[in-house]
């Protein structure tokens, strides 16, 4: 099988790593395309290094822009690559603009299209990722779902059940394969923190950081939590830009985005994680570390029903109250067992893709 694997932004790299390996092990010829949506070394290169992903065969170098501009540039640059490589299948992962752009291009060309992380739905159409998910799934031939709720969403939308496969979570493949290496780096100590004695926070979503009032309220809550327990905030470039305009409370230490291993290590030894990320809701669930998600909804409900995640929104009083309660309770870790979150999801993705391509 000739497979073209697409990656564009930070969370994609974590998913692509095990897929690349599993495709090679299955005997496929694999071509890796990096769209260039994320180009900062801290958001891209370090992930390739730490996850042992080979250098991309093709780099589209599209960079940042408006949603339409970025999506259009990726589409224009990607189409001739698919025509030149002539893969049997294009594999896209996640829900970023690169996922959508490459899915739309492939849907009108001969290769099959496989979507890894299909079927997640927040029901919140104000999220650009929700648009990306729904449209990508609609045009995909192979829908690789991470959880039962995702399978149900796809079936409820009328997807052909033959195309839908419950494969589990490829992020967990990366997590389990790198956990020892992550722990060995002692990230908490390197940041001057005591393992088990700090809160790890990440913020990057437009809905949390683009409105200065919302961001100021969230930081205010972080400041009050930091009176009880120090807060380390890893800031995405989008967040870092806004933080220049808003005072950061004492007790909240802001650092540049951390690499993959330090992200896992800092979650693993935190007393509590505060985030608006999707992937971190899943990683904390597997690690058994309590997580408060600063959103009103999640496309990953299994992390709430079966995991350690709670949705707290962006009301500072709610964030502070629930965080302090959780810190006070600190009743030990509760790693969750979720079907298919076992480190072998990429193998199952590749088997399902191969079956579909062979039956074409
Ligand atoms: C993207 C994804 C989001 C994902 C996040 C992970 C979409 C719609 N959003 O959001 O789902 O959770 O990645 O990080 O695809 N920038 C840099 N350096 C970079 C890349 C971006 O400084 O390497 C800055 C630029 O100012 C850019 C802004 O970040 O305008 C936003 O980047 P973009 O790729 O559009 O989306 P993210 O917010 O990173």
């Amino acid at each position: 099988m000739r497979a073209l694997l697409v990656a564009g932004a930070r969370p994609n790299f974590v998913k692509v790593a095990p897929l690349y390996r599993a495709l090679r092990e299955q005997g496929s010829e694999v071509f890796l395309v990096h769209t260039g949506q994320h180009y900062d070394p801290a958001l891209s290169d370090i992930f390739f290094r730490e996850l042992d992903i080979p250098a991309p065969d093709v780099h589209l170098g599209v960079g940042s822009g408006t949603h339409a501009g970025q999506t259009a540039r990726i589409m224009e640059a990607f189409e001739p690559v698919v025509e030149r490589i002539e893969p049997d299948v294009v594999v896209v992962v996640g829900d970023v603009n690169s996922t959508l752009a490459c899915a739309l291009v492939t849907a009108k060309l001969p290769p099959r299209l496989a979507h890894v992380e299909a079927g997640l739905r927040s029901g919140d159409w104000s999220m650009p990722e929700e648009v990306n998910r729904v449209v990508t799934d609609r045009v995909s031939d192979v829908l690789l779902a991470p959880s039962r709720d995702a399978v149900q969403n796809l079936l409820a939308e009328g997807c052909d059940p033959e195309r839908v496969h419950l494969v589990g979570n490829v992020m967990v493949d990366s997590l389990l394969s790198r956990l020892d290496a992550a722990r060995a780096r002692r990230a908490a100590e390197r940041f001057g923190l005591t393992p088990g004695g700090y809160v790890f926070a990440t913020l990057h979503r437009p809905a949390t950081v683009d409105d200065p009032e919302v961001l100021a309220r969230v930081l205010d809550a972080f400041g009050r939590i930091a009176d009880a327990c120090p807060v380390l905030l890893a800031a995405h470039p989008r967040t870092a830009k806004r933080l220049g305009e808003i005072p950061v409370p004492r007790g909240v230490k802001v650092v540049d985005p951390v690499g993959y291993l330090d992200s896992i290590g800092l979650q693993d030894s935190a007393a509590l994680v505060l985030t608006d990320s999707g992937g971190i809701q899943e990683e904390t669930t597997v690690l058994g570390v309590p997580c408060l998600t600063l959103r009103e909804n999640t496309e990953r409900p299994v992390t709430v029903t079966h995991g350690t995640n709670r949705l707290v929104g962006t009301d500072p009083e709610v964030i502070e109250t629930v965080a302090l309660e959780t810190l006070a309770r600190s009743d030990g870790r509760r790693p969750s067992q979720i079907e298919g979150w076992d480190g072998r999801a990429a193998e199952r993705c590749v088997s399902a893709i191969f079956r579909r391509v062979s039956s074409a």
Side-chain angles (χ1 to χ4, degrees), residues 9-11 37-40 43 64-65 67 70 95-98 128-129 132 204-206 236-238 241:
R10 181 169 61 175
Q37 177 173 347
H38 280 176
Y39 44 85
D40 276 359
L43 299 187
S64 302
H67 284 278
Q70 188 177 56
D95 57 11
V96 302
N97 286 344
S98 300
E129 293 85 354
N132 295 346
H204 75 280
R205 271 186 201 287
H236 181 283
R238 175 195 283 282
K241 244 185 256 168

Side-chain angles (χ1 to χ4, degrees), residues 214-279:
V214 175
L215 182 57
R217 284 193 289 142
V218 166
L219 285 177
D220 189 43
F222 284 12
R224 278 177 280 128
I225 296 164
D227 290 339
C229 187
V231 175
L232 181 75
L233 170 61
H236 181 283
R238 175 195 283 282
T239 315
K241 244 185 256 168
R242 314 281 175 214
L243 288 177
E245 303 149 19
I246 295 174
V248 177
R250 240 170 7 103
V252 179
K253 182 173 173 182
V254 180
V255 294
D256 290 337
V258 294
Y260 180 67
L261 294 177
D262 283 351
S263 171
I264 296 299
L266 287 167
Q267 291 176 58
D268 183 51
S269 58
L272 172 68
V273 172
L274 302 172
T275 193
D276 61 359
S277 150

